[in-house]
Amino acid sequence: MKKIFAALALLSLMTACSPEVGSEAWCKKMEEKPKGDWTANEATDYAKHCVF
């Protein structure tokens, strides 16, 4: 039971620190990430929100 709560707490901390997709902070974070490490969804979102 304690492991479940610890996992949920960790997950909530990780998602709380991530910038919202399409925000200026997210675009900057993606620019710093090597393009070879981008997922197809990240590349699509970057093109949609940061380029156009």
Side-chain angles (χ1 to χ4, degrees):
M1 194 70 158
K2 290 181 183 179
K3 289 182 181 181
I4 293 173
F5 287 121
L8 289 173
L10 180 61
L11 181 62
S12 68
L13 287 173
M14 289 173 58
T15 57
C17 297
S18 299
E20 182 178 347
V21 173
S23 67
E24 186 175 339
W26 182 84
C27 291
K28 287 181 182 180
K29 180 180 173 185
M30 290 303 296
E31 289 170 2
E32 295 171 358
K33 184 177 181 178
K35 298 206 180 353
D37 292 343
W38 291 14
T39 65
N41 287 339
E42 289 173 333
T44 301
D45 288 337
Y46 183 84
K48 185 191 307 182
H49 298 289
C50 305
V51 176
F52 299 112

